[in-house]
Amino acid sequence: MACAEKARERGFKLFGIQFYTECWSGTGAEKTYGRDGTSVNCKNGVGKSGANFVYRFGDYELSSTCPVCEHPRRLCFPAISRVTLESGVRINMAQLNIGDRVRTLETNGVTMVTMNSEVITFLHKEIKTEAHFYKLETKGANAVRLSSQHLIFRKKNTTSPIAAVFASEINVGDLLYISNGGVSGYQPVTRITMTTEIGVYAPLTRQGTLLVDDALVSCYAHWPSHDAAHLVMAPLRAAHIFYGAWKRLTSLMHWPQWDPQRHMSQQTDGIQWYAGALMQLTYI
């Protein structure tokens, strides 16, 4: 196997086969090979789109079980992902700030309706981190990048209901809802690849959804249910509402400013503290 020979020549301890024929490995692969969690997207000794079937050389023994397999990284969107502000201006995720209002969609029971929702915090932000993301391309030449365990809305076919699933569960042919202002509707996924990008951003809107690269996505990752994740984030939304009311009151009464939301926001690198606490529940 040519991939094994190349990995051996370079002194790598593990290697993986992705997208049927692609050879993946690198320095320290034995420590990072499971950092994005396990996948069911492998068959007959090779990985399909976005998945690696990992091999270990027989003369190398893993010192222990893979800890990152049990606790995979929580990634979200890269810095180059784009959102649309209420004004219609499109910006990169790296330019997004708490308080901005961004485009998303809601259903009126029959069709999708465009609306705007305020960004109330960042659940995760790492400005300089380099990470791997799924790149889902659709028939309309649209492409959305997101982490393997981030939720995105899809339909399996034209008659199935829309549901939020992990990006790693998306298959070629699945339908994503795309809205770019001029054209809105479901588009089939035509290609799935992996891409390496800079930055990790997870904005939380009051609606719990937003349009990223024109695709309808959830604000949540790793939780298998969008509705459950949105429910447990209710305290953050309540704190944001309270903070807004408090600001208006202090301004009206000319009281000293006090920021009860200071620890609820996340404009610096890291995982927002409340989100970090909830993440531990997903390990149980």
Side-chain angles (χ1 to χ4, degrees), residues 175-188:
L175 303 174
L176 305 183
Y177 198 92
I178 306 297
S179 177
N180 59 16
V183 178
S184 296
Y186 290 98
Q187 294 182 9

Side-chain angles (χ1 to χ4, degrees), residues 205-254:
T205 67
R206 291 184 63 177
Q207 188 73 8
T209 61
L210 69 164
L211 291 169
V212 174
D213 295 325
D214 298 328
L216 179 62
V217 302
S218 169
C219 291
Y220 310 116
H222 200 75
W223 286 75
S225 167
H226 168 80
D227 291 338
H230 194 56
L231 177 63
V232 299
M233 288 295 172
L236 283 184
R237 297 194 299 278
H240 178 72
I241 294 172
F242 171 75
Y243 175 52
W246 179 260
K247 283 186 66 177
R248 290 190 293 273
L249 178 61
T250 55
S251 176
L252 180 65
M253 302 300 294
H254 303 290

Side-chain angles (χ1 to χ4, degrees), residues 256-268:
Q257 289 291 320
W258 170 64
D259 187 356
Q261 201 188 30
R262 181 167 58 89
H263 296 296
M264 302 297 282
S265 299
Q266 181 65 37
Q267 284 283 30
T268 56

Side-chain angles (χ1 to χ4, degrees), residues 35 42 49 53 55 58 79 128 138 141 170 187-188 232 252 265 270 278:
R35 65 186 179 183
C42 294
S49 297
F53 192 103
Y55 290 87
K128 297 181 180 180
T138 66
I170 298 293
Q187 294 182 9
V232 299
L252 180 65
S265 299
L278 290 177

